[in-house]
Amino acid sequence: MTNWNKKPVKQSEIEPLCKQYDISMLLASILVRRGITSGEDILFYLEEDLRYQHEPFAFNSMEDAVERILQAKEEGEKVLIFGDDDVDGITSTAILYEQLVRMGLDVKWRLPLEDDPYGLSMQAVDDFYKEDGSLIITVDCGISNFEEIKHANELGMEVIVTDHHNPPDELPEAIIIIDPKTSDSGYPFHDISGAAVSYKLVSALRFAESDFYNAEICLFDINEDKENNCYNIDCLKIRNLVKVKELHEKIIPGKTSIYDLKLPYFLQGQLIYVWDINQTQKILKDIFGSGIEFNLNDLKSEICKIIPALKTKNTHQLKEMSQIAKYNESENSIISSLFNVYITYCKKMIGSKKPENLENERKDLQLVALAALADIMPMKNENRIFVRNGINSMKKDRPRPGLAELFHKLNVNVDSVTSTDLSWTVIPALNAAGRMGKSNLSLQLLISQDPKEREILANTIHGLNEERKELVNKAIYTIHDTAEKSLTEYNNKLCISIDESINKGVTGIVAARLMQDFNVPAMAITFSNDICIGSMRSCRSFVATSFLDSFGDFFINHGGHDFAAGFSFERNKLDDFISKVKNLSLSINLSEETTNKELDAELPTEHFTPQCFKLLDTFEPYGSENTELYFMTRNFKLCDAMIVGKKEPSHLKLIFDTGNFKIPAMFWGQGERLKKDINVGKNYDIIYTMSKNFFNGISTNQIIIKDLIPSDI
């Protein structure tokens, strides 16, 4: 039996959020219960504008990557994009490949097929060398391919690694590495997908086509502080829309000499922009006299050509208007507001000159959304912006070519599609091709220019998905009992299945099923010729990659994420592997199991209104670290009930009376309870989630019952 808890929250915690962000008490209380209380976290629930994503050049090595790719274009080099065979790898490859084709590069792609190992292979390096290739770009892989990249270097080729997996202690000798999880990446958010990293590289390449690329400017502001009888000077250097360096100094008129300041050295050689050039020049002249010249440029006149509404605004008004400052106290300054206005101006300028880039960006985000959900990225920070914008694009712009055909084949309702729909239908189908050793089919579906070919590919992928389901069911049926017996061998800390009947493409799914069934980390291992290939899925705070790292150089290759990883080793090492795992299992610590679940809010019937369903949109997309919302309502009167079900009637459709309106509810798999402990006319305390039911193009609110007891108990 699940124990439902509702964390107590204080009025003093809720009211400041209501006031600061103009939100309801209900929404504020849910945010507090979920620990979402900092402005920087709240932003990604209340906003979805792409302006709030992190800039691609926040990656310290992004400019180097752009320059190397531009060099390859200029010199007519042959470029290979090497990706992984799952949804993240396929979408990563598609995003970068399409951009390099648009730029006119001589580019080809390659993915692991059939019995190919994970990641960049020696064979792929050698084959590309024979084709006179000179630049390899990995996407969603590469960070663990030390030997393969070393081999490419020895052949005179260069490698750019773009990845998002946990890096090993020793990084490969690639000329450039872009991975948010490396210690020196510079990127402010670590948990983005491989496709998001690829998208950031593409965004940087698009930016490089603009006049703003590599242009260094300095924003300058001076303001009088009458209370302290001084002036405050703030300067901010910007390159590629990223803050490079700041300077903040105070000037006391009549006491501070220009030579006492760092200002002249900071501004030397800079292109200086101010908001109000006339007023700024007057203040500087009053302070330093007419003998000292500042070479200033008027930012306001340039920006107002694109954003006329700012023509009458002074710097203090710009600060008050700043939306970002509402969420981030460090942005609550005039210089920060100037910076944010400048970023908006640049993006509008670029969009007006190259509107096709905006269209391509929306298509890319559809793929980034799929990758974030497929790789179970946490639904926080900019991942929320990616998924929201990707799904919005599917609805408004319609699914991009390839996805459109697959949506049709899978009977996905585009108008009502949610992150959950994508996770349960589209993503497994796209993944199926890779799991069956034919990842090239999913990639071809996404990049093909031929509608007939896309239709054929969508049908083929649908068939592979059905085949994949059969393989998983067969494998689970075959290995389940022996997997359960393995628990005692590994001190009830691990579950391991080693069986050649497991198709190597479904080891990850099988491991995940075993983990769910036995609530311990699980491994599924099969054989490919003389190689053992395995997947690990973890839970209860046990980090899979750290566990695999403890094997030293035992593996041919290994890597992944905290809770999902893969590995391979020579078959003749199998006994050694089992022995080592048994020893290591003695020291495994798993977090305690719990049957407790947290309620997000209790809604009295009088407060249960249609407006409450707007919370769904606020918290969508749901996924890792952002579960669906759970509510409780007491004394809900049941006014109608019926048993429903297409194949067999086993579900309950209930109607509850709120006093003001009636709300339909579904209680899955509970049909047998009707007229036993569930009776029309009685009142019940219920735990539920809210949802929307789409039928014949009409959306209606409904609730999904999770738990129900009579109110008089």
Side-chain angles (χ1 to χ4, degrees):
M1 181 72 177
T2 301
N3 296 316
W4 295 92
N5 301 321
K6 188 181 73 169
K7 292 179 182 175
V9 293
K10 299 176 181 176
Q11 197 81 358
S12 59
E13 297 175 289
I14 295 173
E15 288 182 346
L17 299 188
C18 295
K19 183 178 180 181
Q20 177 74 7
Y21 307 112
D22 190 26
I23 59 178
S24 68
M25 297 283 281
L26 175 59
L27 174 53
S29 67
I30 294 173
L31 290 171
V32 171
R33 283 196 180 92
R34 291 196 166 204
I36 305 165
T37 54
S38 74
E40 293 180 30
D41 290 334
I42 291 173
L43 181 153
F44 294 102
Y45 286 84
L46 302 186
E47 306 289 348
E48 61 183 41
D49 196 300
L50 288 171
R51 168 66 186 88
Y52 297 104
Q53 65 177 315
H54 305 303
E55 294 298 331
F57 288 96
F59 279 107
N60 289 328
S61 53
M62 185 61 79
E63 189 176 324
D64 292 336
V66 169
E67 288 298 317
R68 182 62 187 89
I69 292 171
L70 293 178
Q71 177 190 336
K73 175 185 176 182
E74 185 177 335
E75 298 184 4
E77 296 181 61
K78 289 186 176 181
V79 179
L80 171 68
I81 302 172
F82 192 96
D84 193 13
D85 62 1
D86 63 1
V87 168
D88 195 12
I90 291 162
T91 53
S92 302
T93 306
I95 290 167
L96 183 56
Y97 176 77
E98 288 185 332
Q99 175 61 21
L100 297 192
V101 168
R102 283 190 289 263
M103 291 172 60
L105 274 81
D106 183 355
V107 58
K108 61 180 294 186
W109 54 265
R110 181 163 176 166
L111 304 173
L113 299 174
E114 301 296 343
D115 292 329
D116 290 344
Y118 164 79
L120 183 64
S121 64
M122 291 291 191
Q123 188 65 54
V125 172
D126 287 337
D127 289 348
F128 192 52
Y129 173 71
K130 292 173 185 175
E131 297 172 12
D132 296 322
S134 56
L135 178 62
I136 300 172
I137 306 174
T138 70
V139 292
D140 190 37
C141 63
I143 199 67
S144 298
N145 289 121
F146 188 90
E147 293 299 329
E148 292 82 1
I149 292 173
K150 181 180 179 182
H151 180 53
N153 293 340
E154 291 169 349
L155 293 176
M157 294 187 290
E158 294 183 322
V159 181
I160 298 174
V161 169
T162 76
D163 202 349
H164 74 129
H165 291 96
N166 294 345
D169 292 335
E170 186 175 8
L171 295 177
E173 297 171 354
I175 56 163
I176 299 157
I177 295 176
I178 303 176
D179 185 331
K181 290 188 175 73
T182 57
S183 59
D184 61 347
S185 76
Y187 203 69
F189 181 53
H190 295 172
D191 294 318
I192 58 175
S193 67
V197 177
S198 185
Y199 161 73
K200 294 295 176 179
L201 175 56
V202 166
S203 298
L205 288 168
R206 288 177 183 144
F207 182 78
E209 297 172 347
S210 74
D211 296 334
F212 299 104
Y213 177 59
N214 280 353
E216 295 185 357
I217 75 159
C218 181
L219 298 179
F220 178 94
D221 179 69
I222 183 166
N223 266 283
E224 185 177 8
D225 181 352
K226 293 182 179 179
E227 185 177 338
N228 296 301
N229 194 30
C230 67
Y231 285 89
N232 295 319
I233 283 184
D234 299 295
C235 303
L236 176 61
K237 289 181 182 178
I238 303 168
R239 181 182 174 92
N240 294 329
L241 306 189
V242 173
K243 296 177 182 179
V244 176
K245 198 172 183 180
E246 297 183 47
L247 176 70
H248 307 281
E249 292 192 297
K250 290 186 182 296
I251 297 174
I252 301 175
K255 294 185 179 181
T256 305
S257 166
I258 189 70
Y259 304 107
D260 298 329
L261 302 172
K262 298 176 183 177
L263 184 65
Y265 308 101
F266 189 87
L267 297 179
Q268 190 173 6
Q270 295 294 306
L271 189 61
I272 309 167
Y273 278 94
V274 299
W275 184 250
D276 189 327
I277 190 167
N278 293 326
Q279 182 177 347
T280 304
Q281 285 176 332
K282 181 179 183 304
I283 293 173
L284 291 172
K285 185 177 180 180
D286 290 343
I287 295 173
F288 299 116
S290 56
I292 297 176
E293 291 281 337
F294 287 83
N295 187 20
L296 306 179
N297 296 276
D298 190 11
L299 182 66
K300 184 176 184 178
S301 61
E302 288 297 317
I303 287 181
C304 289
K305 293 176 185 176
I306 301 296
I307 316 175
L310 300 182
K311 193 172 183 179
T312 60
K313 307 299 180 184
N314 59 38
T315 54
H316 292 283
Q317 289 170 321
L318 289 180
K319 177 185 170 185
E320 292 301 316
M321 291 170 60
S322 175
Q323 189 76 349
I324 292 180
K326 183 169 75 172
Y327 299 103
N328 191 336
E329 187 63 32
S330 66
E331 297 287 336
N332 191 23
S333 65
I334 288 175
I335 200 69
S336 290
S337 65
L338 288 178
F339 170 71
N340 291 317
V341 166
Y342 175 74
I343 300 297
T344 302
Y345 159 74
C346 291
K347 291 182 181 294
K348 285 183 176 293
M349 279 286 288
I350 294 169
S352 65
K353 290 186 176 181
K354 284 213 165 187
E356 66 274 15
N357 279 351
L358 297 178
E359 180 183 351
N360 291 328
E361 181 179 42
R362 291 194 296 270
K363 289 180 180 178
D364 290 345
L365 283 165
Q366 293 186 21
L367 300 185
V368 176
L370 289 175
L373 296 168
D375 251 34
I376 317 179
M377 295 294 99
M379 284 300 106
K380 61 182 182 180
N381 207 280
E382 66 179 346
N383 284 330
R384 298 185 57 75
I385 287 180
F386 296 150
V387 178
R388 277 182 168 180
N389 279 273
I391 292 176
N392 286 343
S393 175
M394 291 174 190
K395 292 177 178 178
K396 295 176 183 177
D397 307 322
R398 314 315 287 172
R400 55 175 282 152
L403 287 186
E405 289 79 5
L406 191 59
F407 275 40
H408 177 72
K409 186 65 184 176
L410 298 172
N411 295 316
V412 174
N413 185 343
V414 178
D415 294 324
S416 63
V417 69
T418 65
S419 57
T420 304
D421 297 327
L422 295 175
S423 296
W424 284 98
T425 55
V426 179
I427 288 168
L430 277 175
N431 247 339
R435 297 190 188 282
M436 303 303 292
K438 299 176 181 178
S439 55
N440 57 313
L441 298 182
S442 287
L443 179 55
Q444 286 167 347
L445 173 69
L446 297 178
I447 64 176
S448 173
Q449 300 296 308
D450 183 351
K452 289 184 179 179
E453 182 186 24
R454 294 197 301 267
E455 192 69 37
I456 293 170
L457 286 167
N459 287 330
T460 303
I461 289 167
H462 177 68
L464 289 171
N465 191 36
E466 294 302 309
E467 187 179 344
R468 187 268 309 170
K469 292 177 184 177
E470 287 297 318
L471 286 172
V472 172
N473 291 336
K474 181 180 177 182
I476 293 296
Y477 177 81
T478 302
I479 59 91
H480 192 274
D481 290 346
T482 55
E484 186 173 16
K485 290 177 183 176
S486 76
L487 287 166
T488 55
E489 296 180 43
Y490 303 103
N491 301 289
N492 292 311
K493 302 291 183 65
L494 284 173
C495 171
I496 299 181
S497 176
I498 304 170
D499 197 306
E500 62 184 352
S501 69
I502 304 173
N503 183 287
K504 81 180 188 73
V506 299
T507 55
I509 302 176
V510 172
R513 285 273 198 94
L514 295 176
M515 179 199 72
Q516 292 164 0
D517 286 349
F518 304 118
N519 198 30
V520 296
M523 293 185 192
I525 300 171
T526 190
F527 309 110
S528 178
N529 299 320
D530 295 328
I531 303 298
C532 291
I533 297 174
S535 294
M536 184 174 188
R537 296 296 181 265
S538 189
C539 60
R540 296 169 63 184
S541 304
F542 184 71
V543 179
T545 47
S546 297
F547 179 75
L548 297 178
D549 287 344
S550 66
F551 281 74
D553 58 0
F554 182 91
F555 296 114
I556 297 172
N557 57 51
H558 74 284
H561 306 291
D562 288 355
F563 301 109
F567 55 89
S568 64
F569 56 88
E570 289 89 352
R571 189 168 181 167
N572 58 21
K573 293 182 177 180
L574 182 57
D575 290 341
D576 292 339
F577 175 79
I578 293 172
S579 176
K580 189 168 182 66
V581 172
K582 285 181 179 178
N583 289 331
L584 289 171
S585 68
L586 294 168
S587 57
I588 288 177
N589 291 313
L590 302 178
S591 61
E592 290 298 316
E593 300 178 57
T594 178
T595 57
N596 293 337
K597 279 196 173 183
E598 298 296 332
L599 284 171
D600 289 290
E602 181 174 340
L603 292 176
T605 51
E606 63 269 23
H607 291 147
F608 186 98
T609 66
Q611 285 70 33
C612 293
F613 284 81
K614 292 181 179 179
L615 290 167
L616 292 175
D617 297 328
T618 301
F619 285 89
E620 173 74 29
Y622 299 98
S624 174
E625 299 188 32
N626 184 52
T627 58
E628 57 188 342
L629 299 169
Y630 291 99
F631 299 95
M632 170 186 272
T633 297
R634 302 179 193 271
N635 287 306
F636 232 151
K637 184 176 182 180
L638 181 62
C639 59
D640 198 5
M642 66 185 76
I643 300 175
V644 297
K646 287 185 178 179
K647 294 183 179 179
E648 55 180 279
S650 58
H651 312 300
L652 279 180
K653 183 174 182 179
L654 310 173
I655 305 293
F656 287 95
D657 189 350
T658 69
N660 296 313
F661 65 97
K662 294 179 174 61
I663 185 74
M666 292 302 302
F667 202 2
W668 302 112
Q670 303 297 312
E672 63 183 23
R673 295 176 62 180
L674 186 61
K675 295 183 180 179
K676 291 181 180 178
D677 64 331
I678 298 178
N679 294 282
V680 173
K682 299 285 187 179
N683 283 26
Y684 295 91
D685 297 347
I686 62 172
I687 308 291
Y688 57 93
T689 61
M690 296 180 182
S691 71
K692 294 184 179 180
N693 182 39
F694 288 86
F695 185 72
N696 288 337
I698 298 174
S699 170
T700 55
N701 295 330
Q702 68 175 11
I703 60 177
I704 308 298
I705 307 294
K706 299 297 180 179
D707 215 342
L708 174 152
I709 60 171
S711 296
D712 55 0
I713 290 181

